[in-house]
Amino acid sequence: MNKKDKKNISISKKALPSGKGLGWASNIYFIGIGGIGMSALARYFVANGKQVAGYDKTPSDITTSLQELGVEVHFSDSISEVKQEFLDKETALVVYTPAIPKDHSELNYFRSNGFKVYKRSQILGEITKQTTCLAVAGTHGKTTTTSILGHLLNECNTPVTAFLGGISENYNSNLILNGTEVTVVEADEFDRSFLTLSPDLACITSMDADHLDIYGDANELTKTFKAFSECIKPHGKLFVKNGLPLKGITYGVDDNADYSAKNIRIVNGSYVFDLKTPNGTHKDFQFNLPGRHNLSNAIIALAMAADYGCPYNQLAKGLASYKGVKRRFTYQIKTEDFVFIDDYAHHPEEINAVHQAVREMYPDKKVLAIFQPHLYSRTRDFVDGFAQSLSKFDEILLLDIYPARELPIEGVTSEWLLSKIENPNKKLISKSAIIDEIKVSDAHVVLTIGAGDIGVEVKYIKEAFSIAS
């Protein structure tokens, strides 16, 4: 954790409210504390003066950083590992993530013994009810948009708490803490979690089919996004990506939306553009992340921050200082001879966005993509889309499917996906072979893509090629 993050936490400790409905709980126990959203909530409660502890399946950089804050974390599913203060029903609140399996013994102990047990989304919903809430929904772009919006409000001296679904490069944290009046949250459609929120301003970035293991079909997903739009507080506002089948304030890139990027050009590797708004055009905004999808995320963050009341001159300064989110088109190595980028993309549309960004930045360079599919069900549901998006790269290395919360599905394998990729420069490899395969490739740009544990390999790839490059 950097000095700025520690400073934010110490400032916010006396400022954060306990929140109606949560003030009774002095001991907060998290099941799945290493998750990106769970750990942000854990940090919030630490800053709020609560005792915090939790379980996770495996150690990680996130659990280590929580332990450095004084949070006790254990990695075996056993109630005997839980300290006594978290076993007091009168003072303990138990928070869990839907990713935890139903047979988890700690979760079942708390449930069967009458503890107050809530999903993460329910706790987040309770916090948002007591604040001015700006919520970001959509099947793609949530984390980047939320982190831009949180950063803009923070840079405009707004008393904001922003819960992020990734690690912000500006704050080296998944939580921005600068006060209590405003919350910025990701409105997560997985498991319909976002229906617990009560936003004042909300946006929907996209409604592409995803999480069909939960929803069954795309129509049901669309219905749920419409239900989310009805969760907005009275007199609140909905912003929607131009072209989505919902009524609201529209935003887009180089189009006729209410808020839109115009006169777009690339200067020294950054976007420079004019921001068209319902009340006029503001010139020469700078944004340092590549890709039209990221530019679109910046436009909606600017629109929501402006609607909240931030002045455009401060927004322009804030946007120019925005550095991004780890694992979202993150440059690991960037030299004249070799570029290594890591991205969390795990849906065909997200891979298409990564492809567009890398071609725009490196139009004449050979690009190698290393992809790890995430979930058997998602691979099955979008196999043709994955094949089409991956085929666009010059060379493709495919890893085995990362199962996450799922058991294997017969016939759904990386070999099956590989057979559908219409590009002869393709190969199925193991994680242990990644570095050797990169070495024999003559690609100038290397991408690691996926939401599974491919992220663990990034530091090893960076170490292997930092010296050579």
Side-chain angles (χ1 to χ4, degrees):
M1 177 182 291
N2 62 20
K3 289 180 182 176
K4 185 169 184 178
D5 198 34
K6 287 180 179 176
K7 180 183 174 189
N8 279 343
I9 282 187
S10 63
I11 287 171
S12 303
K13 199 164 188 175
K14 59 189 176 186
L16 284 168
S18 55
K20 294 175 185 175
L22 298 177
W24 58 269
S26 55
N27 304 303
I28 320 292
Y29 186 76
F30 287 83
I31 303 177
I33 197 167
I36 195 74
M38 291 282 277
S39 61
L41 260 188
R43 285 175 178 274
Y44 172 85
F45 282 117
V46 168
N48 202 12
K50 306 288 189 179
Q51 287 289 114
V52 177
Y55 156 88
D56 208 83
K57 192 174 182 180
T58 54
S60 65
D61 291 343
I62 289 175
T63 58
T64 299
S65 67
L66 288 171
Q67 289 167 323
E68 289 170 356
L69 278 179
V71 176
E72 292 211 11
V73 183
H74 63 267
F75 304 97
S76 57
D77 176 15
S78 172
I79 202 68
S80 65
E81 297 270 4
V82 182
K83 281 198 159 185
Q84 195 60 42
E85 57 260 41
F86 298 95
L87 297 174
D88 179 356
K89 280 184 274 194
E90 299 304 312
T91 63
L93 171 67
V94 180
V95 186
Y96 73 100
T97 168
I100 292 293
K102 291 183 172 60
D103 61 354
H104 194 274
S105 66
E106 288 184 16
L107 180 58
N108 286 323
Y109 173 86
F110 286 118
R111 279 176 164 164
S112 60
N113 285 279
F115 283 78
K116 293 180 177 67
V117 181
Y118 297 100
K119 286 182 185 178
R120 168 189 165 270
S121 58
Q122 292 173 297
I123 301 301
L124 201 55
E126 183 63 36
I127 293 169
T128 64
K129 285 175 188 172
Q130 314 306 323
T131 64
T132 299
C133 175
L134 283 67
V136 178
T139 45
H140 321 299
K142 286 189 298 293
T143 298
T144 300
T145 303
T146 305
S147 68
I148 299 171
L149 180 55
H151 176 67
L152 291 176
L153 292 171
N154 191 52
E155 289 294 297
C156 292
N157 301 312
T158 305
V160 64
T161 301
F163 296 91
L164 312 179
I167 304 298
S168 163
E169 297 278 10
N170 288 82
Y171 305 91
N172 195 32
S173 178
N174 52 352
L175 189 67
I176 302 171
L177 287 164
N178 192 33
T180 68
E181 294 176 21
V182 180
T183 48
V184 174
V185 300
E186 286 193 31
D188 191 359
E189 76 279 2
F190 174 74
D191 201 34
R192 297 177 172 83
S193 294
F194 59 2
L195 299 183
T196 63
L197 300 176
S198 300
D200 295 83
L201 302 178
C203 75
I204 298 176
T205 65
S206 49
M207 298 193 306
D208 294 312
D210 198 4
H211 301 302
L212 298 187
D213 54 325
I214 301 293
Y215 288 97
D217 62 45
N219 287 334
E220 191 62 29
L221 180 69
T222 300
K223 283 183 194 173
T224 309
F225 272 105
K226 289 179 179 175
F228 166 71
S229 72
E230 293 163 5
C231 294
I232 296 172
K233 291 174 188 170
H235 310 297
K237 294 179 184 178
L238 176 66
F239 295 77
V240 295
K241 180 74 177 289
N242 200 16
L244 291 181
L246 288 171
K247 289 185 178 179
I249 301 165
T250 58
Y251 75 95
V253 173
D254 204 15
D255 60 7
N256 62 350
D258 296 317
Y259 290 85
S260 183
K262 296 288 190 179
N263 189 24
I264 303 162
R265 55 262 193 220
I266 296 175
V267 179
N268 297 325
S270 298
Y271 286 116
V272 178
F273 64 93
D274 300 339
L275 179 66
K276 175 207 160 200
T277 79
N279 300 311
T281 297
H282 302 268
K283 293 187 176 298
D284 296 335
F285 282 74
Q286 179 184 327
F287 183 57
N288 299 319
L289 266 61
R292 292 292 176 112
H293 62 299
N294 280 324
L295 185 55
S296 176
N297 296 334
I299 299 306
I300 182 52
L302 287 167
M304 293 177 77
D307 193 277
Y308 173 76
C310 294
Y312 283 104
N313 61 336
Q314 282 186 262
L315 289 175
K317 290 178 183 176
L319 189 67
S321 68
Y322 177 74
K323 296 178 182 176
V325 179
K326 290 181 180 177
R327 298 220 65 221
R328 269 61 171 191
F329 211 93
T330 302
Y331 283 99
Q332 299 292 334
I333 300 172
K334 189 178 184 182
T335 70
E336 287 292 321
D337 301 319
F338 185 74
V339 176
F340 170 35
I341 298 164
D342 178 46
D343 196 276
Y344 187 75
H346 54 282
H347 184 282
E349 288 304 317
E350 293 168 350
I351 296 172
N352 285 334
V354 170
H355 178 265
Q356 182 276 323
V358 77
R359 292 298 187 202
E360 186 173 44
M361 291 297 157
Y362 303 99
D364 303 317
K365 303 297 185 182
K366 182 174 180 179
V367 181
L368 164 64
I370 305 162
F371 177 58
Q372 181 189 48
H374 184 262
L375 295 176
Y376 294 102
S377 61
R378 184 181 280 127
T379 305
R380 175 199 63 201
D381 294 338
F382 303 111
V383 66
D384 292 328
F386 278 123
Q388 289 168 12
S389 61
L390 291 168
S391 295
K392 296 176 181 178
F393 296 99
D394 299 307
E395 190 176 347
I396 306 102
L397 297 176
L398 196 61
L399 302 179
D400 284 330
I401 297 169
Y402 183 76
R405 56 187 178 268
E406 293 184 336
L407 294 172
I409 297 172
E410 187 176 353
V412 179
T413 64
S414 286
E415 289 93 337
W416 179 48
L417 171 55
L418 190 75
S419 72
K420 289 179 169 284
I421 295 174
E422 294 183 356
N423 184 327
N425 301 313
K426 60 182 180 179
K427 189 175 184 180
L428 181 63
I429 66 166
S430 64
K431 283 189 294 182
S432 61
I434 291 174
I435 291 172
D436 288 339
E437 291 290 341
I438 296 173
K439 285 179 178 177
V440 300
S441 171
D442 61 349
H444 179 93
V445 181
V446 173
L447 298 166
T448 46
I449 307 172
D453 61 2
I454 190 172
V456 176
E457 305 301 315
V458 169
K459 60 183 176 183
Y460 302 118
I461 300 170
K462 187 175 182 178
E463 286 170 6
F465 291 94
S466 288
I467 297 170
S469 62

